[in-house]
Amino acid sequence: MKNFSLLSARAGALFFSPAAALVGAFVIVPFFWVIFVSFTNRTLLGKTALNPEFVGFDNYIALFNMSTFFTRGQFGFSLILTIQFVLLSALVGQALLGMVLAWLLQSTPKNVKVFSESAVIVAWILPEVVIGFAWFAFLDYDNGTLNMLVTSLGLEPGDWLLENPFWVIVFFNTWRGAAFSMMLFNSAFSSIPPSYFQAADVAGATSFQKFKDIALPLIKGHVVTDLILITMWTFNVFTPFLLTNGGPSYRTELLSIYTYRVAFKDFEFGKGAAVGVVIMLINLAFALVYLRIAKQKNKGTA
Amino acid sequence: MSKLRSYALGLAAATALAGPAMATDVTITCRCVEGGVNSAAAVWLKTTVIPGFEKMMKATGKDVTVNFKEFAGKDEQLTQQLALDFSTGAGADVSSFDGFLIPNFVDAGLLKPLEDVAGAEVNNWEGWSHISEGSKELMSYGGKAYGIALGTDSRMIFVRKDIFAQAGLDADTWQPTSWEDVLDAARTIKKAMPKSAPLQLNAGVSMGEATTMQGYWMAILGTGEGMLDESGKWIVSSQGILDTLNLYKTIYIDEKLGDKRAQLLGDGRNRTFANFRDGKTAMLVEGDWFYRSVTKPGAEFEVKDRDVNMTWKKMPAQEPGKGFRGQDFVTMSGGTGFVINPNTKAPKESWALLSYMNSKEQLDAFQAINPRVRIRDDVWIPNSDFLTETSQTLLPLTTARPNNAHYNKVSVAVQRMTEAVVSGEQTPEEAMAQYKSDVIAIVGEENTVSKL
């Protein structure tokens, strides 16, 4: 038995090593590389492409330069835009819509439930590029399906991508991500013993009262998990790029798109890396909060 | 027995020759797709250049296989791809390349002079004696050649005669001599056809270099200015910039003479082409390929009865005599060609391919597929009224982009400035102020000049 466990430890190490090597090569090394590059003036073209210099915190100082911070096309502008985007599309859109859908599903007949679930989950499983282009075509001013519907109702067609690009991406991201919240809340609601609701029914509670006083307190942990996860995802989401290219005129340049633009269109790798590090720190803060809450939750149930 | 011996001998011979006779692979890429963007170039490479080259190499005892990669992305995406490839030692051996990027790539150490890559035989190429110094410049920097241009081009206003006629204008006799003339024609058409977008002058970031070359330059030259002053400093605020931005504002915001959607959305370039094809746009400022290739019979944006319905006009200065160098009319020229990847493992074969592509025989074959003005003086010039007229009229008036390593970044700043105005986000004054700070950040304040 002792030999066996020794063997298995070695074998374990052996089996683990390819994964460790991959994680090292593709996660850990790039992680430190990005941090290193963020302290240089490395570019893709021009004199500092192959001979970058160490510039200390210059890239970070430039990002937080208050005289231009909120100017269109600068870091602060994208940061504010992203916060609005997260609030509207993740917290209000995805979480709230997901919860309403999940609650409604609780009291629907089984076949309706299966159908609605599948319909929402389609948004979740379709490849990003496919839905990006599909939405682009859907919203087109001249030939888009949406305007055909709008005009058939006798209304004025809208120039959605040009006039309301921010609301387009908010709506898009809500549509795209609501399935996750719905699934999460659906399973949470389903885990509540039916007897609780039956007792409430006997007491004559309305659906809203049952939701507010029974369901919500019981799934609080799920709500926090959901909010933190979708906030982190929405901070990094890149698909709106397919719809609006970050424009027109920066009006939809979220932080992820801003980073891409700085690094791969302006070719400023050093500055792009600095933005990446800042986003990483923001996400790290969310992750720490999440871990803390998860730990407390485990303690509570233990 | 003798059979066995011949096998053995054959094997020995094959082993002995294996070194020198090993097949060499050369990869060539261009922003071209058969049936898509720059289709003619893809067809030419596939049907003529590659088979001819492989056969020629075989005749000299070399086994060379050419792999062809079609690249369907935008110009900017090809630039990204090439910069990443060249900085990591990857990428095709021979690649299409826009001449204006050469200074920037060279400064980055991402391109080497042809003679450094492939050796002295580059300078012995027979073709150089048929290429003028000016044409050689299109793919050169600091007096050294980095590639060979396929040809040069010019820009003008393309006009839909049938749409003009519908608005009661005679396109044949019409030649605008000022911006106001162009705007007046657009106003007349807009009045007759309120849903049309009669005039298109490129703007915005999505259009990339097409905004700078076929939009901004065509206007700013008309004000008598360029992007740099006589001493080589970047002009960051001036009456010319303001007038140019106000022209954009007049077209897209104040009078809605142009389709701003076609400038601001991701697929804008194709929308401008489609608008012209569909008669929604009557005047489009574009390059000569728009006639040669984009609208030709069978192409995606084919203009029906093209030579009846379509013509071209010179781009006027703001007012007569007010243009660059005191000209009445202005135009721009650029050049794209092919370069050799400095990391190529087959430099000799790559040069052999590049020079073979630019041989008289191969360019003659290209002329049969897609005639244009080539840079070799011994290449047959097709009997085309369009090419003859445009090259004779416009090339004497033309201007080239500054051969400057900062150019492509400043060009993006120009695209942002025009986008801010056309989208209505900023006034011309605000957009110019933003441009000023952008350009100062790129080139340093000491290399800029304010004229206001």
Side-chain angles (χ1 to χ4, degrees):
Chain A
M1 197 62 203
K2 206 178 171 190
N3 277 344
F4 179 76
S5 69
L6 192 70
L7 183 75
S8 80
R10 261 192 214 156
L14 195 69
F15 283 119
F16 176 67
S17 57
L22 286 176
V23 170
F26 294 107
V27 179
I28 297 173
V29 171
F31 176 81
F32 287 105
W33 180 246
V34 165
I35 295 176
F36 171 74
V37 171
S38 75
F39 291 106
T40 70
N41 60 0
R42 188 159 193 257
T43 51
L44 189 62
L45 289 176
K47 286 198 166 68
T48 52
L50 298 181
N51 305 303
E53 295 149 3
F54 187 80
V55 295
F57 283 93
D58 281 7
N59 288 323
Y60 293 92
I61 293 166
L63 288 184
F64 290 96
N65 177 357
M66 281 302 144
S67 64
T68 56
F69 191 69
F70 297 109
T71 314
R72 190 178 295 283
Q74 297 294 329
F75 174 73
F77 182 84
S78 287
L79 182 68
I80 303 292
L81 196 70
T82 308
I83 291 170
Q84 292 171 338
F85 180 67
V86 169
L87 284 174
L88 291 165
S89 78
L91 305 187
V92 176
Q94 293 183 11
L96 208 62
L97 182 68
M99 183 165 294
V100 170
L101 286 173
W103 182 249
L104 291 176
L105 279 179
Q106 290 303 309
S107 51
T108 34
K110 191 147 191 253
N111 47 358
V112 178
K113 192 169 165 174
V114 170
F115 175 78
S116 339
E117 276 178 333
S118 332
V120 179
I121 288 167
V122 166
W124 179 252
I125 58 168
L126 273 176
E128 306 256 322
V129 176
V130 174
I131 53 169
F133 284 116
W135 269 74
F136 190 77
F138 177 71
L139 294 166
D140 186 65
Y141 180 80
D142 296 310
N143 308 309
T145 320
L146 183 57
N147 273 347
M148 282 183 194
L149 289 172
V150 168
T151 42
S152 73
L153 294 172
L155 300 167
E156 276 291 298
D159 207 345
W160 318 102
L161 287 166
L162 211 61
E163 304 296 344
N164 313 299
F166 181 72
W167 290 104
V168 165
I169 62 171
V170 166
F171 189 78
F172 170 78
N173 197 50
T174 301
W175 173 85
R176 175 96 177 110
F180 174 81
S181 299
M182 184 197 79
M183 286 187 287
L184 191 96
F185 293 138
N186 196 18
S187 77
F189 287 140
S190 303
S191 68
I192 300 171
S195 56
Y196 290 21
F197 296 126
Q198 283 155 7
D201 283 337
V202 172
T206 63
S207 183
F208 181 71
Q209 282 170 331
K210 284 190 283 184
F211 172 77
K212 187 171 73 76
D213 296 330
I214 302 174
L216 205 53
L218 285 170
I219 65 160
K220 215 164 71 186
H222 291 88
V223 174
V224 175
T225 306
D226 181 70
L227 291 182
I228 291 172
L229 285 178
I230 61 175
T231 302
M232 283 167 71
W233 287 336
T234 306
F235 241 98
N236 294 307
V237 72
F238 192 69
T239 329
F241 181 78
L242 294 167
L243 285 174
T244 62
N245 223 336
S249 207
Y250 308 107
R251 276 160 63 190
T252 56
E253 198 172 76
L254 302 171
L255 271 184
S256 55
I257 300 172
Y258 172 77
T259 318
Y260 171 77
R261 195 249 299 168
V262 168
F264 293 102
K265 281 187 169 170
D266 299 352
F267 299 143
E268 295 194 44
F269 279 176
K271 194 175 160 197
V275 187
V277 171
V278 173
I279 295 178
M280 199 162 68
L281 291 174
I282 294 173
N283 277 321
L284 197 66
F286 280 114
L288 286 176
V289 172
Y290 172 67
L291 287 176
R292 211 187 161 95
I293 291 168
K295 217 166 145 188
Q296 276 174 350
K297 209 171 77 182
N298 286 341
K299 259 188 211 155
T301 52
Chain B
M1 187 62 200
S2 71
K3 211 175 179 181
L4 197 67
R5 218 170 74 183
S6 65
Y7 277 141
L9 270 176
L11 193 68
T15 322
L17 287 172
M22 272 249 284
T24 310
D25 280 307
V26 177
T27 306
I28 183 166
T29 189
C30 71
R31 190 180 156 254
C32 59
V33 177
E34 190 171 351
V37 60
N38 295 326
S39 176
V43 171
W44 173 58
L45 288 172
K46 271 188 196 170
T47 59
T48 311
V49 173
I50 294 172
F53 178 70
E54 289 179 343
K55 207 168 138 197
M56 183 192 82
M57 295 308 273
K58 205 154 233 166
T60 61
K62 284 183 199 154
D63 192 4
V64 180
T65 310
V66 180
N67 304 304
F68 175 43
K69 274 195 204 150
E70 290 164 289
F71 185 91
K74 294 187 195 177
D75 284 324
E76 285 70 21
Q77 290 164 334
L78 181 65
T79 309
Q80 284 170 20
Q81 184 74 50
L82 290 173
L84 287 169
D85 280 347
F86 288 3
S87 60
T88 54
D93 300 289
V94 178
S95 175
S96 68
F97 204 90
D98 203 333
F100 82 94
L101 292 166
I102 285 180
N104 213 323
F105 271 67
V106 171
D107 271 10
L110 299 178
L111 266 182
K112 285 188 199 151
L114 288 174
E115 58 178 326
D116 291 6
V117 177
E121 61 191 271
V122 167
N123 300 322
N124 303 328
W125 182 47
E126 55 80 33
W128 293 126
S129 62
H130 294 286
I131 297 175
S132 73
E133 276 308 309
S135 304
K136 209 176 159 182
E137 271 301 303
L138 291 169
M139 301 289 282
S140 295
Y141 181 50
K144 297 201 178 234
Y146 289 83
I148 304 172
L150 275 175
T152 188
D153 49 34
S154 54
R155 281 148 186 82
M156 60 207 83
I157 309 174
F158 289 94
V159 170
R160 283 289 297 251
K161 289 204 264 185
D162 48 344
I163 310 296
F164 264 58
Q166 284 178 45
L169 297 168
D170 180 13
D172 283 322
T173 55
W174 181 76
Q175 167 61 60
T177 55
S178 67
W179 289 357
E180 213 47 43
D181 286 355
V182 178
L183 292 171
D184 279 342
R187 286 170 189 135
T188 309
I189 295 165
K190 183 86 186 174
K191 211 170 186 181
M193 282 161 270
K195 285 204 154 175
S196 69
L199 174 61
Q200 207 71 14
L201 182 69
N202 288 337
V205 178
S206 288
M207 306 283 281
E209 188 61 13
T211 286
T212 321
M213 273 300 256
Q214 281 98 259
Y216 185 77
W217 268 116
M218 294 295 275
I220 193 85
L221 288 174
T223 70
E225 294 179 12
M227 282 203 210
L228 295 157
D229 73 356
E230 309 76 38
S231 60
K233 291 190 173 188
W234 296 92
I235 304 170
V236 288
S237 78
S238 68
Q239 194 56 47
I241 297 176
L242 271 184
D243 289 351
T244 297
L245 295 179
N246 274 310
L247 175 65
Y248 276 113
K249 186 165 171 274
T250 307
I251 296 173
Y252 292 104
I253 303 286
D254 296 344
E255 304 190 28
K256 298 193 169 52
L257 300 171
D259 178 1
K260 71 174 178 177
R261 184 178 312 107
Q263 304 296 148
L264 297 175
L265 296 180
D267 59 346
R269 193 89 188 279
N270 284 353
R271 283 176 193 247
T272 65
F273 293 167
N275 281 348
F276 190 84
R277 173 194 63 196
D278 303 338
K280 194 178 168 191
T281 293
M283 288 173 276
L284 174 65
V285 183
E286 262 296 348
D288 57 70
W289 59 82
F290 184 68
Y291 175 87
R292 289 190 283 106
S293 145
V294 179
T295 56
K296 75 174 180 182
E300 185 184 354
F301 301 106
E302 171 183 356
V303 170
K304 284 222 172 69
D305 296 322
R306 180 180 58 167
D307 293 328
V308 178
N309 290 327
M310 184 175 164
T311 184
W312 65 276
K313 303 292 163 184
K314 290 174 281 183
M315 176 77 186
Q318 193 173 8
E319 280 156 28
K322 207 192 165 188
F324 196 59
R325 295 180 296 232
Q327 290 171 191
D328 296 333
F329 301 97
V330 296
T331 185
M332 283 295 289
S333 292
T336 57
F338 283 80
V339 297
I340 299 180
N341 186 334
N343 308 304
T344 177
K345 300 214 166 44
K348 301 282 176 199
E349 288 80 4
S350 298
W351 165 250
L353 176 60
L354 182 63
S355 53
Y356 178 77
M357 283 167 64
N358 288 285
S359 64
K360 174 173 160 49
E361 178 204 354
Q362 286 303 312
L363 290 178
D364 280 343
F366 204 174
Q367 292 297 75
I369 301 171
N370 188 19
R372 63 181 288 191
V373 176
R374 299 287 166 192
I375 57 167
R376 274 187 80 121
D377 60 16
D378 55 347
V379 170
W380 146 72
I381 295 180
N383 184 16
S384 151
D385 290 346
F386 174 77
L387 285 176
T388 314
E389 286 170 20
T390 53
S391 60
Q392 284 176 358
T393 317
L394 296 176
L395 290 183
L397 296 172
T398 202
T399 316
R401 285 171 286 199
N403 216 345
N404 183 299
H406 293 303
Y407 174 80
N408 70 328
K409 287 196 98 172
V410 176
S411 174
V412 175
V414 164
Q415 292 156 29
R416 290 191 182 131
M417 173 167 67
T418 57
E419 177 165 294
V421 171
V422 168
S423 67
E425 300 289 338
Q426 289 181 322
T427 64
E429 287 77 12
E430 288 165 349
M432 187 171 74
Q434 176 80 53
Y435 175 72
K436 181 176 177 176
S437 70
D438 287 352
V439 176
I440 286 174
I442 297 166
V443 305
E445 188 151 19
E446 67 281 9
N447 295 314
T448 63
V449 56
S450 295
K451 295 193 158 186
L452 273 181

